[in-house]
Amino acid sequence: MSSSFMQKKSSWLVLCLFLASCQSIKTRDDIRKGTTPSTPHTRPGTSPQQQRPQERENIGTPPPIESDEEEVTEMTPPPPPAPVIPTMPKIGVILGGGGAKTYAHIGFLHELQRAKVPVYAIGGVEFASPMAALYANKELANDVEWQMFKLKDEEVLKKSLLGGVNKNNDVTVLKDFVSVAFNRAKVEDFKVPFACPSYNLKKNQVYLMNRGSIDQLMYLCMAYPPFFKPYQNSVAGIRDITSLANYLRQKGANYIVLVNVLQAPGGAKPFTLDAQATDNVLWSEVAGLYNKPLPGVDTVISLDTSSYGIMDFEKRREIMNKGADAAAKQLKSLTRKWGL
């Protein structure tokens, strides 16, 4: 009795073990597909896919392929910055020196007015001093042209009977011109702040002439060889562009434009009549200074007057038209930059 019971119990045990092992046997399809037989017994509330995710992930997944190349991670580009609306700068203008070449500035002033660019302050150097002052007085380019063409050639350069030029005259020969052009006006009454630099030889000091009667200021700011000898120990402060730029900023300008009419040294045409003269050497040095970056100046407008010398006053009309053509092209891009 007990022997038969033990045999039946052993048979049931063998049968249970056999059935349990059958559940883990992989078929050929399982091996080919890399799958495992489903397990019917799971925990309550879970599915076979949710149970033991770490093991499910490793089973049937091919090993990673080793590579020497670094993994490239695709980055999402940052959004573009918000567009910046340009603000209109407050323009300060410096008209550089250059004798007869400065008549190109009149063409520039015409184009500046045509482009409707407001000028917050203006300065002039040497022969450009009266041009800047005339513009500051009435803000009219036509008035600058009208008055400057009243200046006669013989008032600037007196020629001898043999055709030679008497240089270094007394600057007071311009008395009639200054009196008519400004009619005893004072700088304080100008519509636009104005200044011109004057260098005192005795004190070795640059003074910015920005107040008082324009009659006296012009003599101090225009005297310079080869046209005029010093006036009261002073000549035009032709090299002190930075001092003038700083003054224009003090008067409210925050963007300084230098208008340069002197080509770089070494051109085909000398600045004066004699290429070997001391005056030509002097002006070559000034031109070299103007054609380098100058502290305080934000941009330079170069008016090509290389076909003319600083003593070609008989060609003033040509020089003015040449300056207008050159200014129109450059102001077009600048006004776009300024938002006009």
Side-chain angles (χ1 to χ4, degrees):
M1 182 87 178
S2 62
S3 174
S4 63
F5 177 77
M6 292 298 295
Q7 288 178 355
K8 289 180 179 181
K9 187 176 181 180
S10 299
S11 299
W12 280 104
L13 182 61
V14 172
L15 181 61
C16 291
L17 291 173
F18 175 76
L19 292 174
S21 63
C22 287
Q23 292 178 356
S24 62
I25 294 175
K26 294 184 180 181
T27 64
R28 290 180 179 179
D29 288 340
D30 293 333
I31 296 173
R32 178 169 56 83
K33 297 178 181 179
T35 59
T36 59
S38 60
T39 304
H41 298 287
T42 60
R43 289 181 295 174
T46 62
S47 64
Q49 288 80 6
Q50 292 173 332
Q51 190 176 10
R52 302 181 67 182
Q54 212 167 6
E55 292 183 9
R56 179 187 59 79
E57 192 175 271
N58 293 334
I59 296 174
T61 303
I65 300 175
E66 295 183 0
S67 174
D68 294 334
E69 297 181 1
E70 295 182 3
E71 184 179 358
V72 178
T73 304
E74 186 177 354
M75 301 294 294
T76 303
V84 178
I85 300 175
T87 57
M88 176 60 191
K90 298 179 180 180
I91 307 299
V93 176
I94 298 176
L95 305 181
K101 288 172 173 281
T102 59
Y103 276 80
H105 290 317
I106 302 177
F108 165 79
L109 292 174
H110 276 296
E111 296 302 321
L112 190 72
Q113 188 170 314
R114 187 173 289 113
K116 298 181 180 180
V117 177
V119 177
Y120 283 79
I122 189 170
V125 182
E126 195 242 359
F127 253 95
S129 296
M131 299 176 186
L134 286 166
Y135 188 83
N137 188 22
K138 297 182 179 180
E139 290 186 282
L140 295 174
N142 285 335
D143 185 62
V144 180
E145 178 183 353
W146 173 253
Q147 299 298 342
M148 290 304 300
F149 275 88
K150 289 181 180 179
L151 182 62
K152 299 177 182 179
D153 296 349
E154 57 269 20
E155 290 181 297
V156 181
L157 297 173
K158 293 184 178 181
K159 297 182 179 180
S160 65
L161 296 176
L162 299 177
V165 177
N166 295 325
K167 300 182 295 182
N168 295 327
N169 295 317
D170 195 320
V171 70
T172 54
V173 298
L174 300 179
K175 181 178 180 180
D176 292 340
F177 160 74
V178 172
S179 177
V180 172
F182 295 101
N183 194 23
R184 299 181 180 179
K186 292 185 177 181
V187 178
E188 293 86 344
D189 298 330
F190 286 177
K191 292 184 177 181
V192 176
F194 161 82
C196 58
S198 177
Y199 174 64
N200 187 282
L201 300 170
K202 188 174 182 179
K203 296 182 180 180
N204 190 25
Q205 180 69 40
V206 175
Y207 295 93
L208 293 176
M209 315 308 294
N210 52 41
R211 60 180 180 270
S213 174
I214 198 70
D215 295 16
Q216 296 297 319
L217 296 189
M218 285 297 100
Y219 301 149
L220 295 168
C221 292
M222 291 185 67
Y224 202 76
F227 309 105
F228 307 114
K229 59 187 178 182
Y231 176 76
Q232 296 181 357
N233 291 317
S234 296
V235 294
I238 199 166
R239 300 173 184 270
D240 291 278
I241 302 300
T242 299
S243 299
L244 186 53
N246 292 338
Y247 176 77
L248 299 186
R249 291 185 190 277
Q250 293 176 11
K251 289 301 180 178
N254 59 14
Y255 194 94
I256 307 301
V257 177
L258 169 65
V259 187
N260 180 23
V261 297
L262 297 176
Q263 74 273 15
K269 187 177 181 64
F271 293 99
T272 60
L273 300 177
D274 184 2
Q276 303 299 320
T278 304
D279 294 333
N280 189 65
V281 175
L282 178 65
W283 279 97
S284 295
E285 291 180 349
V286 175
L289 174 68
Y290 282 15
N291 283 274
K292 292 181 180 180
L294 292 168
V297 174
D298 295 293
T299 192
V300 177
I301 294 180
S302 297
L303 306 181
D304 183 14
T305 60
S306 57
S307 300
Y308 309 96
I310 65 170
M311 305 176 79
D312 289 337
F313 282 92
E314 71 277 3
K315 299 178 181 179
R316 288 178 289 179
R317 184 67 60 180
E318 296 178 28
I319 297 173
M320 183 189 73
N321 294 334
K322 186 85 171 179
D325 292 340
K329 298 176 183 177
Q330 297 178 65
L331 281 173
K332 186 176 181 180
S333 61
L334 278 176
T335 51
R336 190 182 301 115
K337 176 181 177 181
W338 295 336
L340 292 178

